[in-house]
Amino acid sequence: MLATATTMTADEGATLLAQFANITQMDPSYYSNLASTIVSLGNNYATTEQKITEMSQGIAASASLAGMSEADMVALSAAVTSLGIETQAGATSMSRLISTLMTAVETGDNLNEFAQIANMSAEEFSQAWGNNAVEALQTFVVGLTDTQRNGKSATVALTELGITEARMQRMVLSL
């Protein structure tokens, strides 16, 4: 089906979806729904189905560990690739961001700082992450835009959190 509606070949689409399903432990009976979602996102955002699929496969491991659904992963991938960020760079950066936030929640390291940016207490951010990790991530990213409340630029806030790699900062700031 992806080969008919996208620039991917049937083999490419099948392989990427199978790898994604293997990582996420997705039931193969959902392939059709996943493919339809990917095509819909590709048709409605400034990205392609191939980029969405490749990035989804790239973030699947960290996103699965964070408790994100397959739909969350595909939506994040569409958001990042629609910003013009290359698939591999975006997948690596998003995986790192997810892992960094998950580590903060699990260990408490920098949790107060992440929570403050999200305009929450550490406990609220931990609960939000546990209930819906992608929504907590979104709240953090949106919080970065409120530089007046934070008293510093988003770039400085990211640097203070140890998020200093240029590609990762570009992705977060673009979001």
Side-chain angles (χ1 to χ4, degrees), residues 67-91:
M68 293 183 187
S69 70
E70 289 87 358
D72 290 338
M73 294 174 216
V74 172
L76 275 174
S77 297
V80 172
T81 58
S82 71
L83 298 170
I85 295 171
E86 291 300 318
T87 304
Q88 286 185 330

Side-chain angles (χ1 to χ4, degrees), residues 124-141:
E124 289 170 332
F125 190 82
S126 290
Q127 286 179 338
W129 185 264
N131 293 331
N132 188 334
V134 77
E135 194 171 292
L137 185 147
Q138 178 184 0
T139 304
F140 168 74
V141 170

Side-chain angles (χ1 to χ4, degrees), residues 10-122:
D11 284 344
E12 287 172 325
T15 300
L16 286 169
L17 288 182
Q19 291 169 343
F20 179 78
N22 285 339
I23 296 166
T24 63
Q25 302 297 304
M26 184 181 84
D27 185 329
S29 67
Y30 295 121
Y31 277 28
S32 180
N33 290 343
L34 181 63
S36 294
T37 301
I38 291 168
V39 169
S40 179
L41 289 168
N43 288 337
N44 290 292
Y45 290 88
T47 188
T48 67
E49 295 83 358
Q50 184 162 4
K51 288 179 180 182
I52 294 168
T53 305
E54 288 173 352
M55 184 167 168
S56 296
Q57 192 265 355
I59 69 169
S62 61
S64 290
L65 289 172
M68 293 183 187
S69 70
E70 289 87 358
D72 290 338
M73 294 174 216
V74 172
L76 275 174
S77 297
V80 172
T81 58
S82 71
L83 298 170
I85 295 171
E86 291 300 318
T87 304
Q88 286 185 330
T92 300
S93 296
M94 183 55 73
S95 291
R96 283 186 190 153
L97 180 60
I98 291 166
S99 295
T100 299
L101 289 167
M102 187 169 52
T103 299
V105 168
E106 290 179 7
T107 66
D109 293 343
N110 289 330
L111 179 58
N112 287 325
E113 291 80 3
F114 282 111
Q116 182 180 7
I117 290 169
N119 203 22
M120 299 178 173
S121 69

Side-chain angles (χ1 to χ4, degrees), residues 80 85 90 93-94 167-175:
V80 172
I85 295 171
S93 296
M94 183 55 73
R167 287 181 180 175
M168 189 168 173
Q169 279 196 359
R170 177 177 173 242
M171 181 206 60
V172 174
L173 295 172
S174 294
L175 286 170

